Amino acid sequence: MEFHMQVSLIMVLFVFGPTTIFTSSSVSSNGLSEIPFKLLDFAQKPQVFDWMLGIRRKIHENPELGYEEFETSKLVRAELDKMGIDYKYPIAVTGVVGFIGTGKPPFVAIRADMDALAMQEMVEWEHKSKVPGKMHACGHDAHVAMLLGGAKILKEHEKDLQGTVVLLFQPAEEGGAGAKKMIDGGALENVNAIFGLHVANRVPIAEVASRPGPFFAGSGFFEATISGKGGHAAIPQHAIDPILAASNVIVSLQHLVSREADPLDSQVVTVGKFQGGDAFNVIPDSVRIGGTFRAFTRESLMQLKQRIKEVIMGQASVQRCSATVNFLEDEKPLSPPTINHKDLHEHFRNVAGDMLGIHRVKDHQPLMGSEDFAYYQEAIPGYFFLLGMADDKLGPLHMPHSPHFQINEDALPFGAALHASLAIRYLLELQQEVPLPAQEYHDEL
């Protein structure tokens, strides 16, 4: 869709009092561009910022793994109750779906993931994880706080919303396909588009980065057991060596990218696990290997999956071994690539540019990491972006999934205001652009 309209803004924002940021009938193009900046000003008010800070730190202290986010979900619902926001629960075990606005079309969604990682936090600070072996090392605690911040902004201006904003608090992003289960639970019912974000340790604070088209790769995982015949290392002719077979498998898997994939179609196959043998002088009966594969189209993912199995089985057979291959589809379902809708990219650039200045809206190269936001994008138009938090005053920040990962909490107001601004402007522009037909909508609103 093209995002052009003629509408007029008549608002002054105050901290917690109800305000009007636009009329339902018309907002000038100049007024429209002021909405994101004014919403950022609201999000940066000490009362709002400190509230988000408290939420983020409380969640950080009490991390929960995928589909176990019961206390996090309880906290989310408590905050929605305080704001008078209706919601559905449970969806996808611990997920929460909130609704702000008219309860009628158009519907636009904004999403945050809630799960933590199974790792020990190594950062010594006042709000360090209180749960041994669990840590919010990917910023999902901040994501929840920012989506609640966006909800507070939207609720303050609910009477002015030209449609309905759907809030998705999602479990199990870290390999559990929580987004897919949210969709299966009806979270995207009637929704026209969805937006999501992720904190980025290398993008400067007050900047954002993204791109149209493929942004994050799709991913899959595999494990294989290669079985031979154990024996003494000094007389290998009486054994069938699975370590040799597994070594040939690993080398051959690299040829899938270097000799079978189009060089312009980025792909990765990495073996990250090799387990076999416990003694220097014993050939083991079997070896287990495991790894991941990545690509930017579902077709390439499926081709890699097929060839990984063929290579493992074939190379094992060449070395007189047998093999079984498991793609872990129950525990770690194949995640599709994250592909940003091109028209929503223009919408994002316009909104973020109005808030931050267009020079702070950066194009970003595709990344081989994966993000289950992609499930939403397979169902409806969607857009995902990176929210900067790098600051020279803090020094270098560690990468996500590091036990030393930290959040620059100054990024919270930017995320909250972007959530709200993207949703508000989308509803306004869509209403002006396309007369929406009568259709069924969420009856709980």
Side-chain angles (χ1 to χ4, degrees):
M1 66 194 72
E2 299 283 333
F3 286 92
H4 303 287
M5 61 174 284
Q6 300 293 323
V7 275
S8 91
L9 182 87
I10 52 173
M11 92 145 189
V12 177
L13 273 173
F14 297 96
V15 178
F16 284 104
T19 59
T20 300
I21 58 172
F22 45 82
T23 65
S24 59
S25 56
S26 76
V27 179
S28 69
S29 57
N30 287 338
L32 186 71
S33 67
E34 294 177 14
I35 292 174
F37 180 79
K38 290 179 181 291
L39 295 186
L40 176 60
D41 182 65
F42 181 96
Q44 289 177 324
K45 298 293 185 182
Q47 298 96 321
V48 180
F49 176 71
D50 291 345
W51 172 74
M52 286 192 288
L53 206 64
I55 290 171
R56 184 257 155 171
R57 291 176 173 181
K58 185 172 183 179
I59 295 172
H60 188 87
E61 290 177 352
N62 299 279
E64 298 172 297
L65 304 182
Y67 300 117
E68 299 174 3
E69 309 95 332
F70 295 102
E71 291 302 313
T72 305
S73 178
K74 182 179 178 180
L75 181 152
V76 167
R77 299 193 312 273
E79 294 298 334
L80 295 178
D81 285 335
K82 291 175 187 177
M83 290 185 275
I85 295 174
D86 294 328
Y87 57 83
K88 284 184 176 180
Y89 171 86
I91 294 179
V93 186
T94 59
V96 181
V97 177
F99 307 96
I100 306 175
T102 64
K104 299 179 181 180
F107 290 86
V108 62
I110 45 181
R111 168 267 202 173
D113 37 18
M114 302 188 293
D115 55 323
L117 289 160
M119 59 195 308
Q120 183 66 40
E121 180 167 6
M122 301 300 291
V123 181
E124 295 298 333
W125 68 304
E126 183 181 357
H127 301 284
K128 181 180 180 179
S129 170
K130 297 178 180 179
V131 185
K134 297 179 183 179
M135 176 191 176
H136 271 291
C138 201
H140 297 186
D141 49 345
H143 297 171
V144 173
M146 289 186 285
L147 185 54
L148 284 170
K152 178 177 283 291
I153 296 170
L154 292 164
K155 186 63 179 178
E156 289 295 319
H157 310 293
E158 183 173 30
K159 69 180 188 303
D160 297 312
L161 291 177
Q162 303 299 295
T164 306
V165 181
V166 182
L167 313 170
L168 270 59
F169 295 91
Q170 176 206 309
E173 188 276 331
E174 298 288 356
K180 185 176 186 300
K181 289 194 176 183
M182 291 286 283
I183 296 169
D184 293 342
L188 293 186
E189 182 184 352
N190 300 323
V191 175
N192 300 87
I194 184 169
F195 297 91
L197 61 79
H198 202 293
V199 290
N201 65 308
R202 293 184 177 178
V203 178
I205 189 77
E207 291 189 9
V208 290
S210 191
R211 70 187 310 275
F215 190 18
F216 285 77
S219 68
F221 298 88
F222 65 92
E223 281 186 338
T225 299
I226 299 170
S227 300
K229 178 183 175 183
H232 198 291
I235 45 175
Q237 69 273 24
H238 296 311
I240 299 175
D241 191 347
I243 290 182
L244 178 61
S247 300
N248 281 320
V249 164
I250 293 170
V251 171
S252 296
L253 287 175
Q254 300 311 304
H255 297 163
L256 298 182
V257 174
S258 67
R259 285 297 173 263
E260 296 187 18
D262 183 337
L264 300 180
D265 179 15
S266 299
Q267 299 178 26
V268 167
V269 178
T270 295
V271 175
K273 181 168 69 172
F274 192 120
Q275 299 171 339
D278 296 308
F280 293 109
N281 61 346
V282 176
I283 294 171
D285 284 320
S286 65
V287 169
R288 292 180 64 194
I289 64 171
T292 185
F293 54 103
R294 310 288 171 109
F296 283 104
T297 68
R298 183 171 278 279
E299 293 74 20
S300 294
L301 276 177
M302 298 309 294
Q303 174 68 11
L304 278 177
K305 180 181 177 182
Q306 177 184 334
R307 291 292 292 132
I308 286 169
K309 183 174 182 178
E310 291 172 352
V311 166
I312 293 173
M313 302 292 287
Q315 283 296 325
S317 178
V318 166
Q319 302 297 327
R320 299 180 296 149
C321 291
S322 62
T324 59
V325 184
N326 180 4
F327 287 97
L328 309 171
E329 292 175 350
D330 291 333
E331 309 114 83
K332 297 178 178 293
L334 194 73
S335 178
T338 303
I339 301 176
N340 280 336
H341 195 275
K342 292 183 179 180
D343 293 332
L344 295 183
H345 176 69
E346 292 306 310
H347 176 66
F348 166 75
R349 281 180 55 82
N350 291 337
V351 172
D354 288 340
M355 179 184 295
L356 308 171
I358 197 62
H359 61 290
R360 293 191 174 97
V361 182
K362 305 294 187 180
D363 291 327
H364 202 289
Q365 66 182 11
L367 298 166
M368 295 308 297
S370 64
E371 165 60 58
D372 87 344
F373 186 85
Y375 286 107
Y376 301 121
Q377 294 173 313
E378 285 196 321
I380 61 173
Y383 195 83
F384 195 76
F385 64 96
L386 300 178
L387 177 71
M389 60 176 188
D391 190 333
D392 291 340
K393 293 181 293 184
L394 300 178
L397 296 174
H398 286 269
M399 292 287 291
H401 293 219
S402 163
H404 299 282
F405 179 79
Q406 293 177 280
I407 291 288
N408 179 357
E409 295 173 324
D410 289 341
L412 298 181
F414 294 100
L418 281 164
H419 273 313
S421 300
L422 287 165
I424 288 173
R425 286 264 295 260
Y426 179 86
L427 293 177
L428 274 173
E429 294 164 356
L430 188 62
Q431 283 278 32
Q432 292 290 322
E433 179 185 299
V434 180
L436 290 164
Q439 58 179 298
E440 294 181 2
Y441 54 87
H442 297 276
D443 55 11
E444 72 275 8
L445 296 179

